[in-house]
Structure formats: structure tokens, C-alpha cells
Amino acid sequence: MSKPSSPAQRQMAALIEQLAPNEGYTRSLLDGVRFMRANHPLGRTPVLYEPMIVIVCQGSKRGYLADRVYHYDAQHYLVLSVPLPFSTETEATPEEPLLAISLRLDMTAIADLVMALDQEEPVPTPAAPMGIVSTPLDPMLADTTVRLLQALSSPREAQILGPGIVRELCYRVLIGAQGGAIRAALASQGHFGRIARALRRIHNDYEQALDVGTLAREAGLSLPTFHAHFKAVASTSPIQYIKSVRLHQARLLMIRDDLTAAAAGARVGYESASQFNREFKRLFGRSPGEETRAMKQAFALLPATQLEGIATTH
């Protein structure tokens, strides 16, 4: 179990514990920012993360993608520059719950930051782009996170100060230890950039008919080249990625919107209910109904908590 080890981390944990009093995901007062809380350990579970930054203040998670393991805990944060399905494992107890904050990456704002950084201080040695990294949490980023959480405790401060602090937090990630690899990925150049755009297209249009040949043409790549580079970035084939995105979205529809399996399957593009049920069980290891009941609490999405009066807590 990873405990907060500095005053800033302890302050982060105290703030999130108040902002996210219940298990699951809680909206914040700022669009694109959410809190994560788990009061119990959770075994290896398939998840789908969109491009985001995840800062864990207490407890720990491990992410698994192909043969790589990514640790994000009170000492490390996670950054995804592309939407990726992978699996996670969570360490938490009722006495020391997992407490984390996630920030969805606004690609337009990030592109502006990357451009400004490259003009002022180009990366000395171009780094290989990476779709997912875990990297140590430095004191400056921890301090920025505390100030963001304080602002998110007040509707007025969230509206006035929040967006600027989010921009600062993204800036600190981009100049951090793995900033070069993240900047290279977010610059969307070369083959990585073409695949990143294809991943975002699938992530945004999963309910539509998606043909791999069309995706390859849109990327300006031959089908074999598209397959090879797609697997290098996403660690899976385009067809499996499309299936995974659809099934993850269907799971959220059943958990958060109380849709039936048939309705959720149809919503994400499945014409056959039996095919949906079969592929769902293959990915999650349980039927849609069993999975929904088991994950209802862990994946709940709760409304924002307003805590006037703790914005300047120290």
C-alpha cells in the first residue's frame, strides 16, 4: 500500500477524501476533472482510459498493457496520450482508500502548450513517442495539484482559478521527467501521430460502422503497415481495439445509465445480442448482468461535491 509521504501529498489525500466521500468516480466542479475512490482492493480488471493524467494521492494502482506494467501511486502519476484499453489492479482498504484525481487532456490546449514549449525550449534529443507512461511525482507538480484541489472545493474558485491551474499542471507534466516522450506523442507526428488520430477516431465514433481498410486509408497507410504500427501503439489489432472500446462503453451504459444488455449492445453498434453477450463475457469474464452488478459501485459516476470553506485548508 502506498501512503502519502509528504505534507503536500497528505493534503491532497485529505482534500480528495472530502471531495469524493463515496466509492467510485465523482465529478468535480470543473469539466474534464474527476476524482477516483476505492475503499477495497480490486483484482485485475479491464478498463478503458481516454487521454488523461491520473495522480494517485493514496493507495496504488498497477496498469497492464501487453508485457508492460505501469505503477501509479503516491510517488508516481500516469499519463495517457492516446485512448487505450488495458487492465488495472487496485490496492485499497476502508482505512486507507485509494484516492486519485484524473484530468482529461484537452488536445487543443495541449497542442498550444507543446508548440509554445518547442519554440522556447525544444527537446534536446527527440524522444520516442509513448502512448502511456508512469513517472515520479515531483514537488512542483504535487504543489500544483494541491492548489487545484483547493480551487475545486469552491464553485467560485473552480470557475475563476481552476482552468489556469489545470493549464499549469499540464505544463508541469510536459516539462517533467518523461515530458519529452509525452510531448512527442502529443505532437501527433509520423506513424505514431497517424495511429493516434485513428485511435481517437475509433474512441469518438465507436457506435458507427468502422472499417479497418477505411481507417488505414484515412491514416495514409497501407493495410499491412497500418496493422503493424497500430499494434505497436495499442498492443492489439484494430479489430480487437474497436471491439474493446465498444464493450467498455456498453459496460458503462449498463452501470451508469441502467441500460439492459440488449439496449447497451445496440447503442454501441452490435446488431446481434448473442454476439454482444458472447464477446462481452470473453473480455470481462462474466455475463453483462454479472459484471454490472459486480462493478456498480467501483464504476459509479457521482455528482460533484461542493465544500465551501476548505479552499484554503492547510
Side-chain angles (χ1 to χ4, degrees), residues 25-36 50-54 101-106 148 152 162-163 166 169-170 301 304:
Y25 291 75
T26 302
R27 296 182 191 273
S28 79
L29 296 172
L30 206 58
D31 187 41
V33 181
R34 291 179 180 175
F35 308 115
M36 303 161 61
E50 56 190 338
M52 64 169 65
I53 301 163
V54 183
I101 179 173
S102 70
L103 297 88
R104 187 178 67 237
L105 294 181
D106 178 333
L148 176 60
L152 291 174
V166 167
L169 193 148
C170 291
L301 180 58

Side-chain angles (χ1 to χ4, degrees), residues 60-88:
S60 68
K61 291 179 79 73
R62 286 180 296 278
Y64 301 90
L65 184 66
D67 58 347
R68 299 288 303 273
V69 181
Y70 300 89
H71 296 270
Y72 45 127
D73 50 28
Q75 285 77 46
H76 302 83
Y77 62 95
L78 190 77
V79 183
L80 288 95
S81 55
V82 293
L84 285 176
F86 58 112
S87 60
T88 63

Side-chain angles (χ1 to χ4, degrees), residues 190-252:
H191 284 133
F192 184 97
R194 296 182 186 199
I195 299 303
R197 285 190 289 274
L199 293 176
R200 288 195 288 268
R201 161 104 148 86
I202 295 167
H203 193 72
N204 293 331
D205 301 333
Y206 59 85
E207 74 282 1
Q208 299 178 13
L210 292 167
D211 173 72
V212 177
T214 302
L215 292 171
R217 284 193 298 277
E218 289 176 353
L221 299 171
S222 69
L223 197 55
T225 303
F226 181 75
H227 269 275
H229 286 289
F230 194 102
K231 189 155 190 179
V233 174
S235 298
T236 190
S237 71
I239 286 290
Q240 289 304 317
Y241 182 91
I242 293 168
K243 282 183 183 178
S244 182
V245 169
R246 285 174 171 161
L247 292 169
H248 276 95
Q249 295 293 349
R251 176 171 68 168
L252 289 180

Side-chain angles (χ1 to χ4, degrees), residues 108-305:
T108 303
I110 290 290
D112 288 344
L113 273 173
V114 170
M115 194 179 305
L117 279 169
D118 287 345
Q119 286 174 349
E120 292 293 323
E121 186 184 336
V123 180
T125 305
M130 297 172 67
I132 177 173
V133 298
S134 63
T135 189
L137 180 72
D138 62 77
M140 292 294 285
L141 184 57
D143 175 70
T144 307
T145 306
V146 169
R147 286 188 285 108
L148 176 60
L149 290 167
Q150 289 172 338
L152 291 174
S153 304
S154 155
R156 183 175 59 190
E157 293 200 3
Q159 181 183 0
I160 296 171
L161 301 178
I165 304 174
V166 167
R167 180 177 169 82
E168 179 189 343
L169 193 148
C170 291
Y171 163 79
R172 300 213 173 277
V173 166
L174 293 175
I175 64 169
Q178 298 266 22
I182 299 165
R183 283 160 67 176
L186 294 169
S188 290
Q189 296 171 349
H191 284 133
F192 184 97
R194 296 182 186 199
I195 299 303
R197 285 190 289 274
L199 293 176
R200 288 195 288 268
R201 161 104 148 86
I202 295 167
H203 193 72
N204 293 331
D205 301 333
Y206 59 85
E207 74 282 1
Q208 299 178 13
L210 292 167
D211 173 72
V212 177
T214 302
L215 292 171
R217 284 193 298 277
E218 289 176 353
L221 299 171
S222 69
L223 197 55
T225 303
F226 181 75
H227 269 275
H229 286 289
F230 194 102
K231 189 155 190 179
V233 174
S235 298
T236 190
S237 71
I239 286 290
Q240 289 304 317
Y241 182 91
I242 293 168
K243 282 183 183 178
S244 182
V245 169
R246 285 174 171 161
L247 292 169
H248 276 95
Q249 295 293 349
R251 176 171 68 168
L252 289 180
L253 287 169
M254 289 184 287
I255 290 172
R256 294 177 178 173
D257 296 348
D258 291 322
L259 263 63
T260 63
R267 179 81 64 86
V268 302
Y270 276 87
E271 295 180 1
S272 164
S274 60
Q275 182 187 5
F276 170 75
N277 289 333
R278 187 168 59 250
E279 292 183 355
F280 189 100
K281 189 167 185 177
R282 189 178 299 138
L283 177 61
F284 297 112
R286 291 185 281 228
S287 71
E290 291 168 336
E291 177 71 5
T292 301
R293 286 190 293 274
M295 306 306 292
K296 195 87 173 173
Q297 201 166 19
F299 286 90
L301 180 58
L302 306 163
T305 301

Side-chain angles (χ1 to χ4, degrees), residues 37-66:
R37 179 178 183 136
N39 297 339
H40 304 89
L42 190 60
R44 200 156 164 174
T45 306
V47 296
L48 172 65
Y49 278 10
E50 56 190 338
M52 64 169 65
I53 301 163
V54 183
I55 299 172
V56 173
C57 308
Q58 181 175 283
S60 68
K61 291 179 79 73
R62 286 180 296 278
Y64 301 90
L65 184 66

